[in-house]
């Protein structure tokens, strides 16, 4: 199942800099592991924002929730999810 996911990161401005650096490093490592597994085939930065647009390819809604809630930055994110379906005019589908 494919999902379009927008993640906006909202780390508190008063977070301890060392804690923030550790959190961001753990986020990067986790995200790269999920990408290598094939479940996160596309990741784009949103210009001018601390946000991204991603495509996830997972077996279920629950699997997507497990990945997203496992992100170290999850408590500091606003996330919107859109399930995707094949378009009948897509020549690549």
């Amino acid at each position: 199942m494919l999902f379009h996911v927008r993640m906006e990161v909202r780390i508190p401005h008063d977070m301890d800099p060392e804690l923030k650096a550790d959190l961001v490093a753990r986020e990067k490592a986790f995200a790269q592991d999920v990408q290598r597994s094939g479940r996160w085939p596309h990741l784009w930065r949103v210009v001018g924002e601390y946000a991204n647009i991603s495509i996830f390819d997972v077996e279920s809604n629950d699997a997507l929730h497990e990945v997203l809630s496992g992100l170290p930055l999850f408590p500091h994110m606003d996330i919107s999810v859109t399930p995707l379906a094949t378009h009948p005019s897509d020549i690549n589908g």
Side-chain angles (χ1 to χ4, degrees), residues 3-7 52-56 64 68 79-81:
F3 296 90
H4 169 276
V5 179
R6 179 182 171 95
M7 293 178 251
N52 74 72
I53 299 290
S54 296
I55 300 296
F56 285 86
L64 179 62
L68 295 177
I79 299 174
S80 61
V81 175

Side-chain angles (χ1 to χ4, degrees), residues 1-4 41-42 55-58 64 81-86:
M1 297 177 68
L2 294 175
F3 296 90
H4 169 276
H42 299 284
I55 300 296
F56 285 86
D57 188 357
V58 294
L64 179 62
V81 175
T82 305
L84 300 173
T86 303

Side-chain angles (χ1 to χ4, degrees), residues 68-79:
L68 295 177
S69 63
L71 291 164
L73 284 172
F74 180 76
H76 306 290
M77 289 182 177
D78 291 331
I79 299 174

